Amino acid sequence: MALRYALLGLLSERPASGYDLAKAFEGELGSYAWHAGHNRIYPELARLVDEGLIKHADEGARGRRTYAVTEAGRTELRNWLLTPRTGGAVRNEPVLRLFLLSALDPEDARKVLRDIADSSERQIAELGEAMAGDTPVSPDGRLPFGWLAAGYGLRQYEAAHDWALWALGELDKVTRRPPTSHP
Amino acid sequence: MALRYALLGLLSERPASGYDLAKAFEGELGSYAWHAGHNRIYPELARLVDEGLIKHADEGARGRRTYAVTEAGRTELRNWLLTPRTGGAVRNEPVLRLFLLSALDPEDARKVLRDIADSSERQIAELGEAMAGDTPVSPDGRLPFGWLAAGYGLRQYEAAHDWALWALGELDKVTRRPPTSHP
DNA sequence: CGATGCATGTAACGCGTTACATGATTAC
DNA sequence: GTAATCATGTAACGCGTTACATGCATCG
C-alpha cells in the first residue's frame, strides 16, 4: 500500500512518466525509504488512473506517457500523510540483526558492532557534506524534496554510531575484559 | 529470507514450539524488528527441519512439538549475522512519510512533525524506564536478549525527537514566520 | 459444561522480485 | 550500423496477511 503514495508524492512534485519515476527510486528515496522497479511501477500507475488519483498528462516520443496527480490524488496523499501510522506490521531486517546479536559469541558480536560503527561513520561523513551550508529554499518557497529526510538520516546514523560504541562497552562489561582500544 | 533467521535466533536462546515462537513475536521483537504470525511460522519450521537447520526436540501435551537448533543451524545463523547486509531492497514506510513531507503545505507538515515529536517523547520515556539501572547480566554471562536492541531503540527515538524539532525550525525559516512556541 | 487458552494447520489474495520480452531513438 | 539509452510491458515465484478451520486441556 505504500508504493502508491510514493508515486503520488513524486507526481505531486511534477508530472513524470513511469520511466522517470523508476529513475527517481534509484536515488536517495530508493536507497533510504522505498524502492520499486519499473515492473511494479507500471501496473500501479494503471491502477491509480483507474481510481482517478492520477491522470494521463502528455504523450511524447518513443511511447512516453507522463502522468499528473489529480485533486482526488492530492487529497488521498494528504490524508495518508496526516493519518498517523497504526503501529502496522514491522519488517526491519537491520534491527532484527541487532536483536539477534546475543546469539553470537562476544568476539563475533564485537566484529559486527565495529562494522556498524565504521559504516555509520562513513554515512555521517557523506550526509554531513551534503547538508553543509545554509538551508536551501526552492523558488516556490518550499524546502527541496528530501532535505528534511536527509537531516533525519544524518541523526539516525549518529545515533547508530553512538549506540555501537555503547554496545561494545556493554559487551566488555559482561566478558569482564578491560575496555578494548581500537583505533 | 529474514524470518528463518529470526526463528533460528529465538531457538538458539532455548528450544521452543511454534506456539512459543508466535508469542515471542508479540513482544518487543515483533514490535520493533520483525513480526510473524503462527501461519507463517509453522510452514517455515517445517522447511527448516527439511534443511536440517533445526530438529524436533520434544513432544508434549496437546500436540505440542518443540524444536531445537542444530549445529548446521547455528552456523547458518552466524554466517548471516556476520555477513554485512548488501544494501538490499529498502521498504521503510515511516521514512517514506518523511520524504513525502514536502508534498504537504507547511501547516500540515507542522502537524505531522509535532505528532512525531510527541510520540517519540513517549517512546523515550518508556524505553528509558526499561533501561534504568545497571547492565543486567544473565547467569550464563551473556547480555539478555534484546538489551542491546533496546539501547538502539532509545537512541533512535532520541534522534527522531531532535530531528522533528529541527525540522519545525527549518519550516519556520522558509515560511518566514517567527519560531512557533508550542508548550 | 462452557469459556478461555494452548496448539497446529490450510486457502486465497496482494505486494514485491527476478527474469523474460519488445521496440524506438540517439550517439558514436 | 551497432551499442547504449529511453520506454513499456508480462510471467513465475516467494513471502506475508487475512481469514478459515480444527481439536485438546484447564479453570471456574
Side-chain angles (χ1 to χ4, degrees):
Chain A
M1 286 296 289
L3 172 59
R4 65 183 331 154
Y5 298 107
L7 296 174
L8 288 172
L10 287 168
L11 290 176
S12 82
E13 288 279 308
R14 71 186 63 81
S17 68
Y19 188 83
D20 296 335
L21 293 165
K23 270 192 304 180
F25 280 111
E26 265 150 38
E28 291 171 352
L29 179 69
S31 351
Y32 297 118
W34 202 273
H35 184 263
H38 71 276
N39 40 11
R40 276 303 304 140
I41 292 170
Y42 289 117
E44 189 65 30
L45 286 173
R47 270 185 53 182
L48 289 169
V49 170
D50 279 355
E51 296 174 33
L53 302 178
I54 63 175
K55 63 171 195 279
H56 226 94
D58 234 331
E59 197 97 9
R62 275 172 294 201
R64 175 189 172 88
R65 260 162 291 162
T66 60
Y67 297 90
V69 97
T70 62
E71 263 321 296
R74 253 175 240 282
T75 306
E76 175 77 8
L77 175 60
R78 177 170 182 268
N79 286 341
W80 185 73
L81 285 171
L82 288 178
T83 307
R85 77 265 174 269
T86 59
V90 175
R91 283 199 307 284
N92 191 329
E93 190 177 301
V95 173
L96 175 61
R97 286 171 179 271
L98 306 188
F99 264 90
L100 299 183
L101 228 44
S102 55
L104 291 176
D105 58 63
E107 231 10 86
D108 286 337
R110 279 193 187 86
K111 237 179 278 178
V112 172
L113 289 169
R114 282 193 213 108
D115 270 5
I116 292 173
D118 289 351
S119 66
S120 55
E121 212 167 330
R122 261 178 277 122
Q123 296 276 2
I124 290 166
E126 259 180 56
L127 272 170
E129 211 173 313
M131 297 198 62
D134 270 349
T135 303
V137 186
S138 340
D140 61 350
R142 293 187 156 214
L143 290 167
F145 186 81
W147 168 255
L148 293 182
Y152 180 79
L154 181 58
R155 283 166 181 76
Q156 291 281 106
Y157 285 117
E158 285 169 349
H161 187 253
D162 265 19
W163 169 80
L165 299 184
W166 167 82
L168 282 166
E170 293 293 291
L171 267 184
D172 285 339
K173 279 191 205 169
V174 293
T175 48
R176 274 151 228 165
R177 290 152 129 250
T180 50
S181 65
H182 36 85
Chain B
M1 288 296 292
L3 172 60
R4 66 183 330 153
Y5 298 106
L7 295 174
L8 288 172
L10 286 169
L11 290 175
S12 82
E13 289 278 308
R14 72 186 62 80
S17 68
Y19 188 84
D20 296 336
L21 293 165
K23 271 192 305 182
F25 280 110
E26 265 150 38
E28 291 172 350
L29 179 68
S31 351
Y32 297 117
W34 202 274
H35 185 263
H38 71 276
N39 39 12
R40 276 304 300 143
I41 292 170
Y42 289 117
E44 190 65 31
L45 286 173
R47 270 186 53 185
L48 288 169
V49 170
D50 279 354
E51 295 174 33
L53 301 178
I54 64 175
K55 64 170 193 280
H56 226 95
D58 234 331
E59 197 99 8
R62 275 173 293 200
R64 176 188 172 89
R65 260 163 293 164
T66 59
Y67 297 91
V69 99
T70 63
E71 263 320 297
R74 254 176 238 282
T75 306
E76 174 76 9
L77 175 61
R78 176 170 183 270
N79 286 342
W80 185 72
L81 285 171
L82 288 178
T83 307
R85 78 263 174 271
T86 59
V90 175
R91 282 199 308 283
N92 191 329
E93 191 178 301
V95 172
L96 175 61
R97 285 171 180 271
L98 306 188
F99 265 90
L100 299 183
L101 228 44
S102 55
L104 291 176
D105 58 61
E107 232 11 86
D108 285 338
R110 278 193 188 86
K111 237 179 280 182
V112 172
L113 289 169
R114 282 192 214 107
D115 270 6
I116 292 173
D118 289 351
S119 67
S120 55
E121 213 166 330
R122 261 178 278 122
Q123 297 275 1
I124 290 166
E126 260 180 56
L127 272 170
E129 211 174 313
M131 296 199 63
D134 269 350
T135 304
V137 187
S138 341
D140 62 348
R142 293 187 155 214
L143 289 167
F145 185 82
W147 167 254
L148 292 182
Y152 181 79
L154 181 58
R155 283 165 180 77
Q156 292 279 105
Y157 285 117
E158 285 170 348
H161 187 251
D162 264 20
W163 169 80
L165 298 184
W166 168 82
L168 281 166
E170 293 293 291
L171 268 184
D172 285 339
K173 278 191 205 169
V174 292
T175 50
R176 276 152 227 165
R177 290 152 129 248
T180 49
S181 65
H182 37 84

